[in-house]
Amino acid sequence: FLIALVLLMIIRRRETRLRKLDLLQKEKIEFQFETLKNQVNPHFLFNSFNTLVNVIETEPKLAVEYVQKLSEFFRSIVSYRDKNLIALDEELLLLENYIFIQRERYGSNLKINIDLQKELTTTYSIPPLTLQLLAENALKHNAISRETPLEISLYSESERLYIKNNINRKLSKETSSGMGLQNIIGRYRLLTKEKVEIEET
């Protein structure tokens, strides 16, 4: 009886683990689709190429760097698609490439402050494209101009990672499925007991 009970417990634990892995895989696929759909959408490509044309005309050397960053950014999306976690410093590099691309469009009206210790960035891991997606969310929903600059801050407290931005709501709201944030929450739920917290104040 005891042997049967132990075997039953092992089987149930294995089934729970497999179910969790299956859910994680499903969440990852949904996230990949949503990310690729967002990044390869016509607006992003149109804005990127439009910016590139302007930079080529005014600063040819900067245009080369812009193309390199754009290329690195898309290469990262493709290379991280099969990973559940990547090192935090890899995610920061991807975020910096994304901000570089966007800064050519918004100039000094887009600011990012990263205040993280090197030890933290090499020790911890994060689901890929999480920070980039949160930054993209901030750009999508806020007006960015000289009068209303957007400032994104990234810092850590008590072994938790915080990303925040000021709010300058656009007059005409863009349509949003809300899938991006829900996907991040879902992936964290499968990877850790720690909850993702989202606040709007």
Side-chain angles (χ1 to χ4, degrees), residues 10 102 104 133 138 153:
I10 290 169
Q102 296 296 347
E104 289 308 311
L133 191 64
S153 298

Side-chain angles (χ1 to χ4, degrees), residues 100-120:
F100 179 90
I101 293 162
Q102 296 296 347
R103 197 176 275 137
E104 289 308 311
R105 182 177 169 203
Y106 296 108
S108 60
N109 303 322
L110 174 61
K111 300 176 175 73
I112 185 159
N113 303 311
I114 299 174
D115 185 20
L116 295 171
Q117 295 176 344
K118 182 70 178 171
E119 182 186 321
L120 190 81

